[in-house]
Amino acid sequence: MGKDINYAIDRNEYQSALQEVERLFFNKNRTTEEDALYDLLVMLVEKYETENHPLEPAKPLQVLQHLMEERGMNEADLLNILGLKEGDQEIVNAILKGDCNINAEQAEVLGKYFYVPSKLFV
């Protein structure tokens, strides 16, 4: 789709649009017109949410914590991923507490390990 919409909706219209989107979403036998309405309402809802409830980008530590949690990983796993030794545990602890930033080299290693862009970690 990707077309700009120059129409703004208010909170009440947003709530109504959400209800209609939900109804249409679960309707397995939508007509062509209902498909078009669904697409339009989704664009309006997305525009409203972007303008009224913008998401802040995740911080590098939040990204790392999420990816680790998702995979059931712990500090020892991160130590191994970064190629650190047992004596370097304080580095991992500092990273996970937010006391130390992830450097470019570590970000590159993490990006390759998690199959995500390394820039997420810096």
Side-chain angles (χ1 to χ4, degrees), residues 6-118:
N6 293 320
Y7 181 80
I9 59 176
D10 63 26
R11 182 168 172 68
N12 290 333
E13 291 169 321
Y14 167 74
Q15 294 294 332
S16 295
L18 276 179
Q19 289 176 348
E20 188 64 12
V21 164
E22 184 175 342
R23 184 189 73 76
L24 290 169
F25 178 79
F26 290 107
N27 180 356
K28 301 300 179 198
N29 300 311
R30 287 194 307 237
T31 64
T32 304
E33 292 82 9
E34 288 174 323
D35 280 340
L37 177 60
Y38 176 80
D39 291 340
L40 175 63
L41 290 174
V42 167
M43 286 190 294
L44 287 169
V45 165
E46 287 175 351
K47 183 177 186 225
Y48 179 89
E49 290 175 347
T50 300
E51 292 174 355
N52 294 284
H53 306 289
L55 296 176
E56 291 189 29
K59 294 182 171 92
L61 177 58
Q62 292 171 318
V63 171
L64 177 60
Q65 289 171 332
H66 172 75
L67 290 170
M68 288 178 65
E69 182 179 313
E70 190 177 76
R71 290 163 177 77
M73 297 171 63
N74 59 33
E75 294 175 9
D77 297 318
L78 184 57
L79 191 72
N80 290 329
I81 293 166
L82 295 175
L84 300 173
K85 301 173 191 146
E86 288 293 323
D88 296 325
Q89 185 66 38
E90 68 275 355
I91 295 171
V92 170
N93 290 338
I95 289 172
L96 293 175
K97 287 181 184 177
D99 296 336
C100 175
N101 291 329
I102 298 168
N103 65 36
E105 183 181 326
Q106 293 165 337
E108 189 69 31
V109 169
L110 291 169
K112 286 179 182 174
Y113 181 84
F114 289 113
Y115 299 100
V116 297
S118 59

